[in-house]
Amino acid sequence: MLATYELTTGQKRFIWHHLLVAMVALAIGTLFGPLQAFEHSGLDLYKYLDPVIKSYYQGLTLHGVLNALIWTTFFITGFITLTTIKGLNRPLSHPKLNQTGFWMMVVGLLTAAVPILLDQATVLYTFYPPLQASWAFYVGLTLVVVGSWVEGWGFYLTFYQWRKENPGVRSPFITFAGLVTMVLWQFATLGVAVEILTMLLPAALGLIEGTDPELARTYFWFTGHPLVYFWLLPAYISWYGMLPKQAGGKLFSDSLARLAFWLFLLLSVPVGFHHQFVDPGIPQTWKAIHAILTFGVFFPSMMTAFTVIASLEYAGRKRGGTGLVGWIRALPWNDPSVASQLLAGILFIFGGIGGLTNASYEVNAVIHNTTWVPGHFHLTVASAVTLSFMGISYWLVPHLKGKKLYSAKLGVIQAWTWFIGMLIFSNAMHVLGLLGAPRRTPLGEALYVPAEWEGHLLRVAIGGAILFVSAILYFWNIYKTVRNPETAEVEVPIAESREDPQNTPAWLDSWKPWLIATVLLIIVGYGPQLYFMIRDISLTSPGLRLW
Ligand code: HAS
Ligand code: CU
């Protein structure tokens, strides 16, 4: 189906507001990245920020919450608004509902921001009970999540309306994939919703004596793992559904693309115990089951690597590239959106290999709670995801604002500096992890660190500094684009599939069996263990403020 529907000014403004909040969050959140990196190398700039920012941990909380939770959630809901409207060729069926959801998210963000800035919520983005933040932090984050659900319901209703009018027609891929992402998120966030509403918030309000940290962690990682796919899948929507068009080719296989999305929905929840391999309260059998399922959810990413690279090869050869690698050179590397996403994909190959390492029980024991883990997630959420989102914004911001991108060249330089900075940073973090350096620790404070760490700690700082320069280039380019006097009509790039999507088997475009299977697998994967933990709950760990 051709995307003939043009977004109205109001719709563009609505999506832009999502992006604006996302980018402001990223801009503030990234400020703390280099501060942490420099701290590791012994240069503590935090002391100059006192009394505004009181500690390394307050900075780390801001960094994690703003970058991992806020930048992603706002960007993604905005992006899925676009893929819903553009794919279905129609406006949102209940725009007021979506607007309500958005404003709930904004109010939630502000509510959570106050205690974080006042140093009343220095509990990092994973909450870590029995650490206890101000109630406003939990209320605020709950509102962000519920607001995003409300936006999701708006997408479902729009899709439902389209489906009624178009029985038997394959749903457009970008819309389909956006909806799967939203459904995945709504399943995923049930864990953290229960954690906050039954434990953290009542404890923060003094209604209950304390929390049960083991159960709280289990709820958290119920959400925490699929959360990473909520971040990743919008990048995949672009890699499958847009990048091939930008590169001058077509999507290699519509069926494979849909199958990958279904497998993410099916498998991404019941794997959370791979974050709890060292938790004493989880029986070995359940750890083993989740480890096996983790290897299962690795497959749709392998399928993605295959399908996206095949689509790119098709594009590269069409552009005249020959030989084993000639097609790679023939890709439009001078397009900042394409370059960002290709480089994000390359970094993700290493992030994925690290993920598989983490998932292996024995090796996890070596790297758990070391700097290896932030090394891993900077290649994934901060590269595959964030660099792709930056790449998307190089066409999306011009599209929404009707402006010409200020500088394509600067965008390409930005993508490469992110790539190089991240290679240095994450490699150093991985190596340090293998050498035993703990994560979430102001290493610069340590009186003695092993001599063999020192060179790597310096590389952490160098990588962090390059990333900081890259972030400034990004925001400068976006700022100048928004203010650009030169206008331009920039299209949403939507890739055609090599085959007619109508030939994609109907079971790959049918929600019911996949939703039922997902619910069943969650019940099997979490039900028994949650049952025992809830039966034996002891809300006795008093809330702690260690900062
Ligand atoms: Fe992870 C910890 C396992 C993927 C994020 N992960 C984390 C944490 C975060 C995170 C934030 O099993 C830390 C949480 C905390 O604070 O404690 N992760 C995995 C596995 C995968 C994986 C098996 N993680 C991600 C993604 C993330 C993310 C994606 C964010 C977006 N992770 C773990 C485990 C832990 C963990 C354990 C706990 C560690 C511990 O002990 O605490 C897999 O899904 C990865 C599969 C990926 C691949 C790569 C495929 C490659 C592709 C690129 C193709 C290339 C292209 C470019 C298109 C198999 C698709 C072509 C270019 C040309 C030029 C041609
Ligand atoms: Cu995980």
Side-chain angles (χ1 to χ4, degrees):
M1 189 169 42
L2 285 175
T4 45
Y5 181 83
E6 287 303 328
L7 269 70
T8 63
T9 319
Q11 289 163 341
K12 285 186 175 171
R13 198 181 312 124
F14 181 53
I15 298 173
W16 165 245
H17 286 159
H18 286 79
L19 258 62
L20 188 62
V21 179
M23 286 173 186
V24 171
L26 184 70
I28 302 172
T30 31
L31 281 178
F32 294 94
L35 291 183
Q36 276 135 223
F38 291 159
E39 195 285 336
H40 280 5
S41 72
L43 176 63
D44 185 7
L45 296 178
Y46 274 110
K47 59 174 181 264
Y48 301 108
L49 292 179
D50 195 31
V52 183
I53 300 298
K54 299 228 171 38
S55 66
Y56 172 86
Y57 287 106
Q58 192 186 0
L60 192 55
T61 303
L62 278 159
H63 184 67
V65 170
L66 290 176
N67 291 354
L69 303 182
I70 302 301
W71 149 250
T72 50
T73 309
F74 277 84
F75 189 96
I76 293 167
T77 41
F79 186 57
I80 300 182
T81 309
L82 180 93
T83 58
T84 305
I85 299 179
K86 210 57 199 171
L88 298 178
N89 268 325
R90 62 172 59 218
L92 293 170
S93 63
H94 297 71
K96 290 251 152 52
L97 189 66
N98 285 68
Q99 280 153 16
T100 310
F102 174 72
W103 285 110
M104 283 173 76
M105 286 167 69
V106 173
V107 172
L109 168 59
L110 297 175
T111 313
V114 173
I116 304 180
L117 290 171
L118 293 177
D119 200 25
Q120 303 285 325
T122 300
V123 297
L124 311 188
Y125 87 107
T126 35
F127 312 164
Y128 289 108
L131 289 186
Q132 191 173 79
S134 146
W135 60 268
F137 174 75
Y138 303 119
V139 170
L141 289 184
T142 305
L143 272 174
V144 173
V145 170
V146 176
S148 69
W149 287 356
V150 173
E151 289 224 54
W153 299 333
F155 304 143
Y156 304 157
L157 289 167
T158 310
F159 178 70
Y160 180 68
Q161 193 189 53
W162 175 89
R163 176 46 87 209
K164 267 197 317 200
E165 292 168 22
N166 296 276
V169 179
R170 295 287 168 274
S171 48
F173 173 73
I174 55 169
T175 305
F176 156 85
L179 292 178
V180 173
T181 308
M182 188 40 86
V183 173
L184 184 153
W185 167 246
Q186 299 201 350
F187 276 121
T189 37
L190 290 175
V192 84
V194 174
E195 181 192 7
I196 290 182
L197 296 179
T198 66
M199 259 194 258
L200 304 189
L201 186 57
L205 290 170
L207 300 175
I208 52 176
E209 192 187 327
T211 57
D212 181 333
E214 186 74 280
L215 178 57
R217 289 169 64 82
T218 305
Y219 285 144
F220 184 86
W221 290 115
F222 179 105
T223 297
H225 185 79
L227 174 65
V228 312
Y229 296 120
F230 171 67
W231 299 333
L232 181 68
L233 294 193
Y236 278 9
I237 297 177
S238 176
W239 295 3
Y240 278 112
M242 295 170 170
L243 183 59
K245 163 93 174 178
Q246 295 177 286
K250 290 184 177 181
L251 168 59
F252 179 72
S253 166
D254 182 81
S255 309
L256 265 180
R258 282 180 211 248
L259 181 60
F261 274 79
W262 285 129
L263 290 177
F264 277 118
L265 178 65
L266 181 69
L267 293 165
S268 65
V269 174
V271 299
F273 292 150
H274 70 217
H275 293 266
Q276 296 180 274
F277 280 154
V278 300
D279 280 25
I282 313 290
Q284 286 301 77
T285 319
W286 284 105
K287 290 178 182 170
I289 292 170
H290 280 221
I292 292 165
L293 287 169
T294 305
F295 290 109
V297 77
F298 169 79
F299 272 95
S301 278
M302 294 304 286
M303 286 164 55
T304 304
F306 173 78
T307 315
V308 174
I309 293 174
S311 310
L312 291 171
E313 181 177 353
Y314 177 78
R317 296 205 185 279
K318 243 178 85 183
R319 302 173 72 91
T322 51
L324 202 58
V325 290
W327 63 269
I328 298 179
R329 263 202 311 269
L331 293 170
W333 287 92
N334 54 355
D335 175 337
S337 178
V338 173
S340 304
Q341 296 182 70
L342 294 177
L343 295 173
I346 294 171
L347 289 175
F348 190 48
I349 296 173
F350 301 110
I353 296 171
L356 206 60
T357 315
N358 301 344
S360 319
Y361 183 74
E362 288 78 4
V363 199
N364 184 276
V366 178
I367 55 83
H368 184 69
N369 272 340
T370 70
T371 55
W372 168 288
V373 178
H376 161 68
F377 69 65
H378 279 81
L379 289 175
T380 52
V381 65
S383 297
V385 174
T386 296
L387 187 52
S388 291
F389 288 4
M390 288 168 161
I392 291 169
S393 63
Y394 283 136
W395 62 259
L396 182 53
V397 174
H399 171 74
L400 297 175
K401 302 302 284 181
K403 298 292 175 84
K404 187 169 176 286
L405 179 66
Y406 171 65
S407 169
K409 206 166 174 190
L410 203 60
V412 173
I413 296 173
Q414 185 269 320
W416 279 98
T417 40
W418 196 269
F419 179 76
I420 293 165
M422 200 56 93
L423 273 183
I424 298 172
F425 172 85
S426 71
N427 178 271
M429 292 287 276
H430 277 91
V431 176
L432 276 166
L434 292 178
L435 295 173
R439 69 181 281 203
R440 302 182 207 94
T441 307
L443 296 172
E445 296 282 306
L447 291 181
Y448 304 103
V449 296
E452 53 183 347
W453 291 8
E454 274 165 12
H456 303 299
L457 287 170
L458 185 64
R459 284 199 301 137
V460 167
I462 294 171
I466 298 174
L467 285 164
F468 187 55
V469 171
S470 180
I472 291 173
L473 295 181
Y474 172 68
F475 290 115
W476 177 246
N477 211 352
I478 295 293
Y479 172 75
K480 293 294 278 182
T481 301
V482 173
R483 312 225 39 189
N484 202 343
E486 232 179 303
T487 57
E489 296 274 322
V490 177
E491 285 300 306
V492 177
I494 300 178
E496 274 176 60
S497 167
R498 281 183 52 196
E499 291 164 45
D500 182 358
Q502 210 48 35
N503 295 336
T504 297
W507 60 273
L508 287 175
D509 195 27
S510 165
W511 285 82
K512 214 189 229 163
W514 293 101
L515 289 177
I516 294 173
T518 302
V519 172
L520 287 180
L521 200 59
I522 292 176
I523 293 173
V524 171
Y526 264 110
Q529 182 56 20
L530 274 178
Y531 169 77
F532 289 116
M533 293 177 92
I534 294 170
R535 190 194 61 187
D536 300 336
I537 189 170
S538 57
L539 297 170
T540 48
S541 284
L544 301 174
R545 275 198 58 164
L546 300 177
W547 65 94

